Amino acid sequence: QATPTADLRTASPSLLTGEQLAAYEAFLAEKLASYGVVGASIALVQNGKVIFLKGFGVGELGETGSVTPDTHFRIGSVTKSFSSMLAATLVDDGKLSWETPIVEVLPDFAVSNPELTPKLTESDAFCACTGLSRRDLEFMFNANELTAEQLVADVARLPLVTDYGTTFAYNNQLVAVGGYAAAVAGGGALNDLAHAYARVLRERVLNPIDMPQTTLSLDDVLAGNDYSAPHSGDIAGALHVLPLLTDTTAIIPVDPAGGLWSNAREMARYLQTELSRGVNPEGNRVVSAENLERTWQPGVPIRASTAGLPADIAAFLQNYALGWFSGTYRGRPVVTHGGDTFGFSSYVTILPDADAGLVVLTNSSGPGTFFLYSAIFRFLELLFDQPHTTDAELMAL
């Protein structure tokens, strides 16, 4: 067996063949079964083309409906990169800058340190570097009553646990604030932030990429009649079907941070647009290369959260950018983000200088995470002609 190459910075990616893709498909089917994942849908993009698009398993445990490339899944925090792309389009048009203070757009916004409030900018909303730690229970317990406007105002009650710019601290409320600020800069109403975000995201990102089935609306998902149910494990690890509303309702207040539903076919178009530096598959520019690449740039370093992970996975998560993680695969730049909600797990990974990427969508939180990493790293091993080693490291965790 070949020895893994520690540094692939000068390596040329392999053009993946039908034989390699067939082997990859067989590998995915095997891993779906071994990890106990109910269903998944996967797309690979290389050199501007979709080279693999396939559904696996079923949409609901005990049912017979097979997952297809058009089956809807919740993509969770992958939504964050859509929100930072939205902001980038507004920077392009001069309606916003990355340095615009959030309070200039959302006057009711504040953090618990009054000296910091006027200094926080649109880019800071996406940087995971402000000192605001993760406080998801603050919006989940009263999500049915919490409006987007209240969520923005409530950020002032959340404690700052580190100094600005020093420590990775992931926070969904602040990303939502960044998305709502972008929506207002794009012409949305201050007193109707949820609707404004949905409309402006549709107008400036989803429609220009041609992603009509990608949506924040559960009603739209149900009307399409090709969607997966969420699944989560019990205390013994056995997966059970969850009601769709379990996953949906709790996230609505922070929709710009985690609310989108999509499918592998449309997410492949998103990959193509990202890898083409903002140009959609038909050759139409959605966002400038400069401002899109700004969302990829490494920001605050990530330290403790990668302890104990296999080296390749830890290297993936070296820094946080703007709605993306930034890292490397054996020296090659990687831009990536996962999404975990109540019963769905997803991951998007792009290698900008190798013109390749993949999206993995699953309907199984828990075991879905291991399946995601197996799918990602087997793809990377094939892409750079590396031996099949990372999956064994995952199985040993």
Side-chain angles (χ1 to χ4, degrees), residues 203-223:
E203 291 172 354
R204 301 187 69 93
V205 175
L206 300 179
N207 284 352
I209 300 176
D210 193 13
M211 302 177 71
Q213 302 305 314
T214 300
T215 181
L216 295 162
S217 167
L218 180 59
D219 288 341
D220 289 349
V221 171
L222 296 175

Side-chain angles (χ1 to χ4, degrees), residues 24-100:
Y24 183 65
E25 181 177 340
F27 168 81
L28 293 172
E30 174 193 339
K31 287 296 151 186
L32 195 82
S34 63
Y35 284 126
V37 175
V38 177
S41 195
I42 296 166
L44 307 182
V45 170
Q46 185 175 28
N47 297 339
K49 298 180 179 179
V50 181
I51 60 169
F52 183 92
L53 187 61
K54 180 76 176 176
F56 297 83
V58 296
E60 183 172 337
L61 196 65
E63 300 295 329
T64 57
S66 297
V67 169
T68 76
D70 299 300
T71 301
H72 270 103
F73 293 79
R74 198 71 176 271
I75 66 170
S77 287
V78 173
T79 306
K80 291 177 170 66
S81 64
F82 284 81
S83 291
S84 62
M85 181 188 279
L86 171 61
T89 71
L90 291 153
V91 176
D92 284 341
D93 289 352
K95 297 179 182 294
L96 190 68
S97 81
W98 292 117
E99 291 72 40
T100 298

Side-chain angles (χ1 to χ4, degrees), residues 3-11 311-312 315-316 318 327-334 377 380-381 384-390 393:
T3 302
T5 303
D7 192 338
L8 296 169
R9 282 178 289 183
T10 60
D312 281 339
F316 246 49
Q318 293 173 8
T328 59
Y329 174 67
R330 302 181 187 179
R332 298 298 288 249
V334 170
F377 286 99
L380 295 174
E381 288 165 351
F384 291 104
D385 195 24
Q386 296 293 287
H388 185 182
T389 58
T390 309
E393 295 175 353

